[in-house]
Amino acid sequence: TKPESDRTKVALPQGINQTTFRTAIAELCDRLGDEYVEFVTKLDDGWYMENPNTHDGMHISDDSDFVASVVVYPGSTEEVQTIVQWANAYRIPISPISIGRNYGYGGAAPRVRGAVVLDLGRRMNRILDINPDDCTCLVEPGVTYFALYEEIQARGFQHLWVDVPDIGGGSVLGNALDRGVGYTPYGDHWMMHCGLEVVLPTGEVIRTGMGALPGNNSWQLFPYGFGPTADGIFSQSNMGVVTKMGFGLMPNPGDHESYLYTFPKDEDLSQLIDIIRPLRIAMILENVAQLRHISMQVGLEGKPRSSYYKGKGRMPDSFIHEAAQSLSHGDCSWLYYGMSYGPKEIRQYKLDIIHKEFMKIPGARRIDPASLLQMTTSGFETESPLGSPISKNSAGPVSPVRGNDAMALWDIARKRCDEYDLDFFPTFVVGLREMHLIVEIVFNRDDPAMRNNARACLRGMIDDAAKRGYGEYRTHLAFMDQIAGTYNWNNGALLKFNEKIKDCLDPNGIMAPGKSGIWPARYRGRGWEM
Ligand code: ADP
């Protein structure tokens, strides 16, 4: 049993009194075992390999905003059902996470203070299937990219690849559900998923696609099954707890070769993006590549900001370029990191086209990978790039792959960063026919003024972008209402539709209230939106 003092410090969910809460948690302990129910009495921000499951370790607002009361560790789909039924009986909000890293988007935090976090990752971490012939897998929420990779190696299936979004500590299932992306041709993780098992907010379990047919042999092969495809409503949503998810895995294409081009001027962006579009759609540029600004590259060096610049506000461009002189590829404004796949003769055909097209930009340079200390196409810094204690939050507006759109997004982001005295680390990520500008806002989370600026800056960017027709693809908990509000065609018809589904599937409004701006009836219009 937990010490008395632990029980009094926790953040209670609104509308639940201390006595009811204690009774409810005691019942949960009885059903699952004391050791799988933990009160949240202290918040430790942790680090990459030990991300907190109680709150957002990169908090952009006050510690107290998005905090769990209790973390519970179910061990099976049946136990998830038990918890969901329990939550309905007491009207206690619950919030599922897999690993809960979710960096830049709210981490493991629930949207409503005092919710019970369902940490599925700790115990539900089995790899249920790896099929070396079909190149598929079926995983539980706690399977990380590292774990999947290691199991593939251990089983001797070296021909199977795993597409990772950053360095591999996150949940394969969680990342795909929230529509995270990686960098190989299988980088659109949601697109590559095939088949879900979901516990609905009222406790029933469904399997989607072919999984609904008993005895089927193609759950991970054909995503649609028969009838409406339900999968979409469980992505970036609060309509259920996903307990199993299938994926296609990329077979090793024979060989691969990374390449890097640099471009000298900020203004080259426009021409470069117009060069990229047809090459990407035609898959000459084969992967979800990154077009990184030099400021990001300098930031990734891992040195404190003060070693480059001691002034306030955004680090002036001249200092960034000076710092870039010492990088192995030298100074530039933009870097395109890409990968070519297949045997030498196939690669060479594509690389020659890429070279010819990229070299149309005056001053473009192809960097010999051998000349670099370390060639990386990974997603983002894992340690504080510019001092400590550092946090990051991102904005990710979606746009066409066009030079004038790229310049417009760049302009919006830079103006807002200047306005709020924040450094600016832009990267364009070209999906296939669209791109997002990922703007990492890096701030000191112990500095309330800087934190407020980071929030205001992101809010400003979201509004400016929406006014010009650009919408965010994913966001932090704090901005979900604002962004859901920008997708408001025809009087907010889409949000109304989502709310209708929500009220139908989750009549007591217990499942992650407010996630993606979708509030259940019990909460809607009662001051929760922010
Ligand atoms: P990662 O550790 O890979 O970043 P998370 O576990 O943080 O992934 O998942 C990202 C987000 O996806 C969570 O904040 C949550 O909203 C949602 N999510 C994750 N796992 C589940 C799940 N099993 N069922 C429903 N939603 C989930």
Side-chain angles (χ1 to χ4, degrees), residues 31-32 36 73-84 123:
R31 294 219 212 164
L32 299 182
Y36 302 126
Y73 302 96
S76 64
T77 300
E78 292 71 28
E79 287 194 356
V80 173
Q81 291 178 274
T82 302
I83 297 165
V84 165
R123 296 173 67 208

Side-chain angles (χ1 to χ4, degrees), residues 96 98-102 120 170-171 173-175 177-178 240-242 515:
S98 289
I99 295 291
R101 204 161 264 131
N102 203 24
L120 298 144
S171 157
L173 180 154
N175 183 276
L177 265 191
D178 230 41
V241 182
V242 176
K515 162 99 183 168

Side-chain angles (χ1 to χ4, degrees), residues 20 115 125 140 268 377:
T20 314
N125 53 15
E140 289 190 332
D268 294 335
T377 58

Side-chain angles (χ1 to χ4, degrees), residues 126-163:
R126 287 175 306 163
I127 296 169
L128 300 167
D129 188 41
I130 301 174
N131 187 314
D133 304 318
D134 298 324
C135 304
T136 59
C137 68
L138 180 67
V139 296
E140 289 190 332
V143 176
T144 62
Y145 297 94
F146 287 144
L148 182 58
Y149 172 79
E150 271 159 22
E151 187 62 19
I152 285 172
Q153 301 307 308
R155 294 196 198 177
F157 303 149
Q158 273 73 16
H159 65 291
L160 296 179
W161 278 14
V162 176
D163 182 287

Side-chain angles (χ1 to χ4, degrees), residues 268-280:
D268 294 335
L269 177 66
S270 181
Q271 187 185 357
L272 183 55
I273 291 287
D274 285 325
I275 288 174
I276 288 171
R277 184 184 56 255
L279 296 180
R280 184 71 186 95

